[in-house]
């Protein structure tokens, strides 16, 4: 169970950093962000999570808000995985969690 919590936390961290990096790079690059290879890489990493956000949201949510929804859902997943990991580590002992 510890491996599942650690894996979920790691996947959420990677996706969160990709979405945050995409947002920051989009702000810095402006209108030319579509031609930026780093922006496209971060967009590729975040695309599955944005699609999942479209799947769980009602049709009223605008397309431009989907990355924010994905970010917030991933933040909740990360928080749940972190709490689960801490709980498991306290149960089995801190020495076994390393």
């Amino acid at each position: 169970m510890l491996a599942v919590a650690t894996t979920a936390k790691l996947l959420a961290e990677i996706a969160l950093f990709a979405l945050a990096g995409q947002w920051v790079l989009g702000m810095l690059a402006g209108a030319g962000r579509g031609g930026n290879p780093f922006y496209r890489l971060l967009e590729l990493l975040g695309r599955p999570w944005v699609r999942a956000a479209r799947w769980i949201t009602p049709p009223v949510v605008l397309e431009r808000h989907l990355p924010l929804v994905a970010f917030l859902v991933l933040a909740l997943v990360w928080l749940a995985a972190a709490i689960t990991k801490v709980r498991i580590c306290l149960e089995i002992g801190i020495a076994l969690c390393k």
Side-chain angles (χ1 to χ4, degrees):
M1 193 64 183
L2 179 62
V4 172
T6 303
T7 303
K9 187 173 173 281
L10 177 65
L11 287 174
E13 287 171 351
I14 292 170
L16 284 168
F17 279 122
L19 289 171
Q22 181 182 357
W23 177 75
V24 169
L25 192 55
M27 295 294 287
L28 292 173
R33 64 182 172 246
N36 189 321
F38 295 109
Y39 182 85
R40 295 190 57 151
L41 175 66
L42 293 173
E43 186 178 34
L44 179 69
L45 290 173
R47 188 176 303 144
W49 307 106
V50 174
R51 285 186 183 161
R54 168 46 68 202
W55 187 70
I56 65 171
T57 57
V60 186
V61 177
L62 299 175
E63 288 292 323
R64 65 183 178 154
H65 295 151
L66 289 178
L68 177 62
V69 171
F71 187 86
L72 293 175
V73 169
L74 283 166
L76 288 175
V77 168
W78 180 87
L79 184 64
I83 290 171
T84 303
K85 183 177 177 183
V86 168
R87 186 182 51 81
I88 291 170
C89 286
L90 290 176
E91 286 178 7
I92 65 173
I94 302 297
L96 295 175
C97 281
K98 293 183 180 180

